[in-house]
Amino acid sequence: MGFFDFLKKKKNLANSIVTKPIVTPNPQGQFVLQINDFSEKMHQSEVLGVNLSPDFEKEFGHLVTGKPRKQGDIIELINYVARIQLWGKEVELWFDAEGIDVNTFLKKVNVSLSWLEQQQEPVCKMIINDLLLLKNGSWLDHNEPAYTEKTFLQRITPTSIDFSKNGSFKVSFDDGNLFSGHEIVITISSKNKLLKASVN
């Protein structure tokens, strides 16, 4: 994965801010999120192992300032989380504000979310193209009938959006137990290009 990919979440800390109201797009389908729409969520994770990729310093170097991390270290991570309405569903939006200009970053987030609000059909098409055959070919239970596009999509629900510092993001879906509880994840580039659907 390219960073501390063996983290064990320890606990959420009590100093989290009270969850804010759900943010909905305006009548034109545009989002105008501001920093006061977000709550700070701090959690601790234990480093179980370290696996570094060449992109580590660029994306996650702020996590290792001071002393090198090693197995057993505890990392405190602060994320910003808001609740938004995407395609009529409540979804959690996450990002890590460490080392970025939040106001500039939120402009990019708003542009991407406004674009995403208009992309339900292309997203669903990507999910069908990438995962329906996998479900029907390898994940059917005994005597479970094959899924159509309609019955497949009826089972899944968007749950969260996680933005990286470079502006790329992932949209996660509850799989409705299509894949034994694994998340369905759509990966989207910083230029708002749909890349792939996968099961995680």
Side-chain angles (χ1 to χ4, degrees), residues 1-193:
M1 291 180 60
F3 61 107
F4 293 104
D5 56 347
F6 303 106
L7 292 179
K8 179 181 179 183
K9 189 172 180 181
K10 299 288 283 185
K11 61 181 178 179
N12 287 322
L13 301 184
N15 62 349
S16 295
I17 297 172
V18 176
T19 303
K20 304 293 181 73
I22 297 173
V23 178
T24 59
N26 66 23
Q28 293 74 42
Q30 306 295 306
F31 282 90
V32 286
L33 285 156
Q34 300 178 16
I35 192 61
N36 60 6
D37 293 316
F38 290 80
S39 300
E40 287 186 10
K41 299 275 187 173
M42 182 182 291
H43 67 267
Q44 292 180 337
S45 296
E46 178 182 355
V47 178
L48 301 182
V50 179
N51 182 19
L52 305 181
S53 79
D55 295 328
F56 177 81
E57 287 298 329
K58 179 180 176 183
E59 292 294 326
F60 301 100
H62 65 279
L63 294 178
V64 293
T65 55
K67 62 179 182 178
R69 297 294 181 181
K70 61 184 183 302
Q71 185 174 348
D73 281 354
I74 302 298
I75 297 176
E76 290 185 354
L77 302 173
I78 298 178
N79 289 288
Y80 287 78
V81 59
R83 296 185 300 155
I84 68 167
Q85 182 176 293
L86 177 71
W87 309 328
K89 305 290 185 182
E90 181 182 336
V91 173
E92 283 195 337
L93 170 65
W94 292 81
F95 73 92
D96 171 12
E98 180 74 28
I100 63 173
D101 180 289
V102 173
N103 292 324
T104 300
F105 186 73
L106 281 181
K107 289 178 184 178
K108 166 60 179 167
V109 168
N110 283 320
V111 169
S112 293
L113 290 177
S114 300
W115 170 83
L116 183 62
E117 176 70 9
Q118 310 303 318
Q119 300 301 310
Q120 184 175 10
E121 185 175 336
V123 167
C124 289
K125 184 176 180 181
M126 172 174 275
I127 291 171
I128 290 298
N129 289 343
D130 291 355
L131 300 179
L132 180 59
L133 183 61
L134 174 65
K135 170 62 182 177
N136 288 334
S138 306
W139 284 81
L140 291 176
D141 292 333
H142 183 65
N143 292 329
E144 184 180 14
Y147 283 82
T148 65
E149 293 184 10
K150 181 178 179 180
T151 58
F152 187 95
L153 291 174
Q154 286 174 340
R155 297 285 292 271
I156 67 174
T157 306
T159 57
S160 66
I161 304 171
D162 189 1
F163 273 86
S164 299
K165 288 183 174 62
N166 65 6
S168 64
F169 58 104
K170 294 181 178 181
V171 183
S172 298
F173 294 76
D174 185 303
D175 77 330
N177 210 38
L178 289 169
F179 298 100
S180 303
H182 291 274
E183 283 187 325
I184 292 172
V185 178
I186 298 290
T187 304
I188 302 170
S189 77
S190 60
K191 298 185 183 298
N192 295 340
K193 179 179 179 181

